[in-house]
Amino acid sequence: MNFIKEAGCFIRYIIYYILRYRKFSSVGIHSVVKKPIRIFGGGNIQIGDYTLILNGLRVETLEKWNEQKFHPNLIIGNHVSIGQSVHLVCASQIIIHDYVSIGPFSMLNDCTHGYYDSSLPLSVQDISTKPIEVGEGTIVGMSVCILPGVKIGKHCYIGANTTIAKDIPDNTI
């Protein structure tokens, strides 16, 4: 019976790989990414082992904006849980460490539009980037927005409907 269960898991992983996982740089064992998903620049995304990503994920890794070139790196650790309709935007680096849980409708964005020329719309101006890091064992509540340059420590709890613009030390609620 155990052999049948293992064979079923292996077949499921092969099907997931063919349909979804080939979009990513790497996907660890027993990780599940539920559809529908929207991926731009999946070759810059690494997903660890035993990670669950629910439906509606939208990920954008920006390699170029206007004339700017970037080298994005999005790392999702082991045993991570990401809720429905989460949006990740990465132009430099986002690291989500092991055992992190991110609630639905949240957004992590490591870049922002500049305001260098008042005669141009903001959406066409160059962007600036700063890496984001979410520490091990942290829980990010529903509808949380994490802005560029934020480092959240280990074992933190971020409440729902929060915008995080500054670093959060370890063990903070």
Side-chain angles (χ1 to χ4, degrees):
M1 189 66 161
N2 194 22
F3 172 75
I4 294 171
K5 184 178 179 181
E6 287 180 19
C9 287
F10 179 75
I11 291 169
R12 182 185 73 184
Y13 182 81
I14 295 299
I15 292 170
Y16 278 162
Y17 179 81
I18 292 168
L19 297 177
R20 292 182 214 135
Y21 297 166
R22 62 184 167 77
K23 296 178 181 180
F24 301 104
S25 171
S26 65
V27 177
I29 62 167
H30 301 291
S31 290
V32 176
V33 180
K34 299 282 187 173
K35 66 178 186 177
I37 57 174
R38 190 166 189 178
I39 307 296
F40 299 98
N44 303 309
I45 303 167
Q46 301 168 36
I47 299 175
D49 300 335
Y50 300 97
T51 292
L52 173 62
I53 299 174
L54 296 180
N55 57 309
L57 175 70
R58 179 176 173 186
V59 180
E60 301 170 58
T61 60
L62 304 176
E63 294 178 351
K64 183 178 178 186
W65 181 265
N66 293 339
E67 298 302 316
Q68 295 175 284
K69 301 236 190 254
F70 301 103
H71 303 286
N73 189 25
L74 175 56
I75 301 170
I76 300 172
N78 301 319
H79 300 276
V80 172
S81 172
I82 297 179
Q84 299 92 340
S85 301
V86 169
H87 189 176
L88 306 173
V89 181
C90 179
S92 61
Q93 184 173 51
I94 296 177
I95 300 174
I96 300 170
H97 286 281
D98 298 346
Y99 297 98
V100 169
S101 180
I102 298 176
F105 309 108
S106 294
M107 178 177 187
L108 284 74
N109 185 351
D110 76 351
C111 57
T112 185
H113 290 283
Y115 188 68
Y116 307 108
D117 186 349
S118 61
S119 67
L120 293 174
L122 291 175
S123 61
V124 300
Q125 296 194 38
D126 287 345
I127 60 175
S128 60
T129 67
K130 292 181 183 174
I132 293 175
E133 186 173 350
V134 180
E136 179 180 328
T138 290
I139 297 174
V140 177
M142 180 177 186
S143 299
V144 171
C145 181
I146 300 175
L147 298 176
V150 169
K151 181 177 181 182
I152 298 174
K154 295 179 180 180
H155 310 293
C156 294
Y157 184 85
I158 310 298
N161 299 314
T162 306
T163 299
I164 305 298
K166 297 190 292 187
D167 290 353
I168 306 291
D170 291 351
N171 305 305
T172 299
I173 297 176

